[in-house]
Amino acid sequence: MPGMPIIVVRTEQGFNAFYNTCSHRGGCLVTEKQGTCPGKRLVCGYHAWVYDFEGKLIGVPDQRDFAGLDKSQRGLQRVRCEAWGGWIFINGDPDAEPLADYVRRLQPQMAQFDLDNLSLIDRYSYDCACNWKILMDAFAENYHFVSVHRGTVGLPGPKCAVEHRGTVMALYENGHSRNILPWNDGFEPRESASEETGFSMGMGGIADIESVGPIPREFITAFTCFPNLTTPVYANGFPLLLFWPTGLNTCRMDVVWMGLPHGEAELPEAWKEKIKAFNVILDEDLTFLPSVQISAESPAFRSVVVNYQERRIYHAHEQIDRVIGPERIPEHLRVTPVLAGMIE
Ligand code: FES
Ligand SMILES: [Fe+2]
């Protein structure tokens, strides 16, 4: 959840994560977004209790005034923290399966992007006036392209950039999925703008990641890592789209661009163009989707029906029910499990 107070520290062995909550009276240990800690010590800003990078309480000013204080019982509370490529995943569930097992169907396919050597290119966020699932669902299907993205990539017909009906989807265990969307015949995203709309994907001028295989080079490929991460991957870099609930009817989307290090102080022009073009498409979704939230709150909204092109949505919602536990969900709100035989 956004705002959950977590500290991640780098150690000789890797990383440790803790709640940013002092065991004395809940003071904050760290207030900066990032930085270095002299002597690898975390010092609470309130009364200066000191912890090491393993979370052990190692210093208490005026300790004699705490009768019977057992420092070994007053360490920081750990949070699960595992790395994948250069990313750190925090998990509030101490009993969750290891990350590497959880993403075992995605990991080999993402490995072609040379994850260990990518850099952060850009990051920004949007606050959205809709439930996070309304936003997430829109990034799990291409059926809306011909209407919501009509002004850019979705105009139907031979001059449209993409052929949404040609999409190939794979459903994976744990609610993950993959989407492979073909460009329309003759559309060369690196060079051309859509003839009808004049929209260009802005994909030229950035070197490809050499190890990327043929599928992301030839098709618009996207992966969803359940529950809240989707990434449309391009051969020269990609945005991670992260959907965070901030309330029942609001959410935040973080957009985190990854690519090969460009070695310049400023973002190169080609990257600016690519990100700008992508944001035009994002804006089309973000402008439209709050109206779905308003409509979903109306008494007329009873249920949804999804088609074959929207099966990644159904797949994710089946998994949401499994995670919550169907017995905790009112019967009329449950998603009937039907896709088990389709999991690859
Ligand atoms: S709350 Fe942290 S030292 Fe008192
Ligand atoms: Fe969209």
Side-chain angles (χ1 to χ4, degrees):
M1 290 287 287
M4 195 201 278
I6 304 283
I7 313 167
V8 179
V9 294
R10 191 190 287 272
T11 65
E12 307 278 309
Q13 290 74 37
F15 300 92
N16 285 332
F18 308 101
Y19 286 98
N20 188 11
T21 303
C22 178
S23 301
H24 174 216
R25 279 174 43 216
C28 241
L29 297 151
V30 173
T31 49
E32 299 83 10
K33 282 204 156 165
Q34 60 186 57
T36 51
C37 291
K40 301 206 167 185
R41 300 279 185 267
L42 296 163
V43 182
C44 177
Y46 205 169
H47 313 93
W49 281 25
V50 183
Y51 302 85
D52 69 12
F53 274 16
E54 296 302 316
K56 281 197 213 118
L57 176 61
I58 55 170
V60 174
D62 303 331
Q63 190 179 334
R64 63 180 187 180
D65 291 327
F66 286 94
L69 175 71
D70 180 355
K71 291 216 290 288
S72 70
Q73 299 301 307
R74 287 272 149 192
L76 295 177
Q77 195 176 325
R78 269 181 191 265
V79 197
R80 282 277 296 277
C81 155
E82 285 148 286
W84 176 14
W87 306 315
I88 295 171
F89 284 71
I90 304 290
N91 193 329
D93 177 3
D95 301 321
E97 68 180 310
L99 176 68
D101 292 346
Y102 182 69
V103 298
R104 66 188 151 235
R105 294 294 278 117
L106 301 177
Q107 201 162 26
Q109 301 186 68
M110 287 301 290
Q112 65 186 307
F113 293 92
D114 196 11
L115 302 185
D116 288 331
N117 291 313
L118 298 187
S119 282
L120 175 67
I121 299 293
D122 198 7
R123 69 176 302 163
Y124 45 94
S125 299
Y126 297 91
D127 286 312
C128 313
C130 63
N131 182 278
W132 71 279
K133 296 187 292 300
I134 288 178
L135 203 51
M136 183 81 187
D137 290 352
F139 287 87
E141 48 94 350
N142 312 126
Y143 185 44
H144 69 283
F145 274 37
V146 292
S147 38
V148 172
H149 300 303
R150 191 179 183 84
T152 50
V153 292
L155 198 70
K159 290 177 179 165
C160 167
V162 295
E163 177 42 83
H164 70 278
R165 279 162 295 209
T167 303
V168 175
M169 298 179 194
L171 310 180
Y172 300 131
E173 61 186 358
N174 296 326
H176 310 316
S177 60
R178 184 188 63 194
N179 188 81
I180 298 176
L181 168 66
W183 298 103
N184 221 331
D185 279 351
F187 188 82
E188 175 42 69
R190 275 167 200 274
E191 283 152 25
S192 55
S194 165
E195 259 182 63
E196 293 265 331
T197 65
F199 178 76
S200 166
M201 294 294 289
M203 291 180 67
I206 303 168
D208 282 352
I209 301 163
E210 272 182 24
S211 47
V212 172
I215 291 179
R217 289 178 193 271
E218 297 294 329
F219 304 94
I220 304 177
T221 306
F223 295 98
T224 291
C225 182
F226 181 89
N228 68 332
L229 166 61
T230 285
T231 180
V233 285
Y234 307 100
N236 52 12
F238 51 87
L240 303 170
L241 308 179
L242 291 142
F243 307 92
W244 302 101
T246 52
L248 188 58
N249 305 338
T250 56
C251 64
R252 191 184 81 210
M253 178 168 65
D254 291 336
V255 184
V256 181
W257 282 91
M258 305 298 300
L260 290 173
H262 51 72
E264 295 181 31
E266 266 217 18
L267 195 59
E269 219 36 56
W271 267 114
K272 285 186 188 160
E273 280 301 307
K274 181 183 169 92
I275 291 171
K276 193 168 121 196
F278 186 80
N279 289 347
V280 170
I281 301 173
L282 276 190
D283 281 343
E284 291 175 333
D285 292 308
L286 295 172
T287 304
F288 183 77
L289 292 169
S291 68
V292 177
Q293 177 66 50
I294 292 168
S295 151
E297 290 174 26
S298 104
F301 185 84
R302 299 260 164 82
S303 65
V304 299
V305 58
V306 291
N307 72 11
Y308 187 61
Q309 294 181 37
E310 299 168 301
R311 61 195 183 278
R312 289 168 72 216
I313 296 176
Y314 199 94
H315 176 52
H317 284 256
E318 272 194 23
Q319 183 67 12
I320 288 173
D321 277 21
R322 276 191 285 272
V323 171
I324 294 171
E327 68 286 351
R328 296 201 183 107
I329 302 171
E331 205 171 334
H332 70 286
L333 293 177
R334 283 179 208 156
V335 177
T336 308
V338 295
L339 291 174
M342 302 293 150
I343 308 299
E344 295 184 23

